[in-house]
Amino acid sequence: TFVEMNYFKSLLCVALFFVVGCSTFERDWNQVTQQTTTAGITGAWEGIWKSDSNGHTDRLRCLVTKGTNDIWQAHFKADYSRWYLPFTFTYKVDLHGVESAGPVIFKGSADLGWYAGGLYQYEGMASPTNFNSTYRCPVDYGIFKMDRPKSSR
């Protein structure tokens, strides 16, 4: 029927969005992790995200690039398993920070849509070796803990 066909098209579009986003992330990840130098907090990061509201945790990777006027763009790829089904989400967040002699202290937000929990707020700090952040959205809150990948240390 017409309704079933539109539902199928919507699901297909969402699936393609995540597949294309994931393949772009993987291509960029492979390029960045083959480089031997990083500047400040830019470059590749890997670790975990952990929900403090329900205890769920999974893999998290991130590529940070420097923008302008104390803004860095963080491109995250988060794994999430539910009912033994693996899901992967990629999304970008502008992190507004202050770079000084110590770590970069940053804040950011991104609306990931109703299916991913809505508006996420981020606060944290990153040094050349550690990236730690909290996150909060209407349905969840928790932490990110990341280090440099072994391949780029």
Side-chain angles (χ1 to χ4, degrees):
T1 67
F2 179 75
V3 172
E4 290 171 336
M5 187 57 118
N6 280 340
Y7 179 73
F8 176 74
K9 286 181 184 177
S10 296
L11 285 177
L12 184 60
C13 286
V14 168
L16 285 174
F17 170 77
F18 285 115
V19 168
V20 171
C22 292
S23 65
T24 301
F25 182 92
E26 290 300 328
R27 183 195 68 225
D28 294 345
W29 178 266
N30 290 333
Q31 282 181 329
V32 170
T33 56
Q34 290 175 9
Q35 298 172 359
T36 56
T37 60
T38 57
I41 68 167
T42 63
W45 296 93
E46 68 180 349
I48 59 139
W49 63 268
K50 181 179 182 231
S51 170
D52 288 337
S53 67
N54 63 27
H56 190 86
T57 187
D58 216 323
R59 183 179 185 201
L60 179 67
R61 292 187 291 162
C62 180
L63 296 169
V64 176
T65 56
K66 180 70 169 116
T68 58
N69 300 327
D70 295 327
I71 297 175
W72 288 262
Q73 186 173 68
H75 186 179
F76 290 101
K77 182 174 183 185
D79 293 344
Y80 179 81
S81 297
R82 180 99 174 167
W83 303 296
Y84 303 104
L85 298 173
F87 295 98
T88 301
F89 296 97
T90 62
Y91 57 96
K92 294 180 180 179
V93 176
D94 284 341
L95 301 175
H96 302 264
V98 177
E99 191 169 24
S100 62
V104 174
I105 310 298
F106 62 82
K107 290 183 179 183
S109 64
D111 189 345
L112 304 185
W114 64 267
Y115 52 86
L119 181 66
Y120 280 71
Q121 304 282 335
Y122 303 91
E123 289 187 30
M125 66 175 61
S127 70
T129 58
N130 299 90
F131 185 113
N132 297 304
S133 178
T134 60
Y135 72 89
R136 179 173 297 281
C137 74
V139 297
D140 196 13
Y141 61 95
I143 61 167
F144 295 165
K145 293 184 87 48
M146 295 183 290
D147 300 312
R148 295 296 186 176
K150 288 179 178 58
S151 60
S152 64
R153 288 183 189 163

